[in-house]
Structures are given as C-alpha cells and as structure tokens.
Amino acid sequence: MTQDEMKFAVAQAALKYVVKNTIIGVGTGSTANFFIDALAKIKNDIKGAVASSKVTSQRLESHGIKVFDLNEVKAISVYIDGADESDDSLNLIKGGGGALTREKIVAAVADQFICIADESKLVTIMGDFPLPVEVIPMASNYVKQQISQRIGGTPTVRENFVTDNGNLILDIKDLKITNPKSMETELNSITGVVTNGLFANRGADVLLLGTPNDVKVVTV
Ligand code: 5RP
C-alpha cells in the first residue's frame, strides 16, 4: 500500500466518527483532504463544518458542504485532522501546513479529536519533524532568541509563507521532545508567540493509523 492509499484508508475509517446532525471540525493537509472528499459522500448527514484554514474552507464548499464561522456555532461534536508526528500517548506535532493556530482552536472547542495519519507519523520521541511556531511578524527575532535560550533547538523563519492570520512561522529543528506538555506551555509563554504546533495539553483522543494491512485504532 502506498502512503496515499494509507491516507485514503484512514480518511474512510474516520467517517464512522462523524456524528449525525451536528457541526464537525475539519483539519488541513493532504490526509484531511482525503477526509473532506470522503465526507462529501455523506454531507447530508451533517449540518456542516468549521474549517481550520481557508484552503479547507474552499475544499468543503467545493463539495457543497456548508462552512460555519466558529463564532456562529455552539458546539463541535468531533474534530478530524492529520498530524506531522504522534507519540504513543497521542501528543502531536501539527502545523506542517502552517494552519496550527486555527487547528488548535477548533480542536479546543471539539468534544472529541480524531487524528488520522499513515504509520510514518507514529514516533517514539517527537522532534525529528521541525516544530512550527506561529509568531507575530515584528517579534520573530525576539522569539527566535528566546527559543534558543529557553527551549533549545534551531528556529528558522519559514520562507515565503504567511499564515491565514497574517503571521510568520518559525520551524524549530534539532529538538528531542521528551516533555511535550511543558514544552507546549513554555513556548506559548514567550511574548510574540501566537501558538505552537505541540498538541499535548489537548492531544488527540483517538489516532486512526494507516498501515499496509489495516487501520489501527490507537487510544491512550
Ligand atoms: C497542517 C497540519 C497537517 O495536519 C499536518 O501537516 C499533516 O499533513 P499531511 O496530512 O499532509 O501529512 O497540521 O497545518
């Protein structure tokens, strides 16, 4: 099975977690795109979706799925999104596509977070994938300096990239993330940081992991 076939399989498996007659949250990225395409087939079962990025919003609408502004909705039953890395406690690194802040907001509101990923994303210790941090543009040098002093690793500004919120992304290489919850909190305490791509204080509830043979359901 190719990586795309595994992404397709987990996207199909995620349909089981869609709660009928509710508004769901939908993530960003290639795995989330497979999910959006699968969701289109059952679109009449849901009231609509809240999107974690402009590009996801456009894809949902292209399938005729109603997109709600988060401030219009009272609740999100389930949030379905991919990840760049997951450990076996379902702490995640997200934000490879730069949508981490809106993803984290939608995940915070949702009753349940289902992460969908192929097996390459499951790691013992996170950090091989550079950790994204969204920063206010005027603060990028200060935040880089603070990261080097307080966290370690090598932060660099993602080139030619502006987030949906008009901000920059710093990608931190060379990290070994042994305590994701405290690192998430520490990074967010740096002035000028909007948020970072560690989803540990609110990790996934379920990881649907695509393997060459099947889709494994991982819970903590
Ligand atoms: C976007 C994300 C994505 O979920 C993450 O990058 C995984 O993407 P893909 O499914 O394409 O591997 O966090 O900001």
Side-chain angles (χ1 to χ4, degrees), residues 60-82:
L60 287 163
E61 281 173 342
S62 76
H63 284 302
I65 297 168
K66 185 168 170 52
V67 175
F68 289 89
D69 185 291
L70 182 57
N71 289 317
E72 289 179 279
V73 313
K74 289 209 174 76
I76 294 175
S77 56
V78 62
Y79 178 54
I80 297 172
D81 195 3

Side-chain angles (χ1 to χ4, degrees), residues 3 7 27-34 52-53 79 81-85 93-101 103 115-118 121 129 132 158 197 199:
Q3 193 179 29
K7 289 180 183 184
T28 300
S30 58
T31 318
N33 282 345
F34 280 113
S52 68
S53 63
Y79 178 54
D81 195 3
D84 299 301
E85 282 185 349
I93 288 184
K94 290 186 47 53
L100 61 157
T101 299
E103 292 173 340
C115 182
I116 50 177
D118 67 85
K121 306 294 181 70
F129 191 92
R158 193 177 295 183
F199 285 54

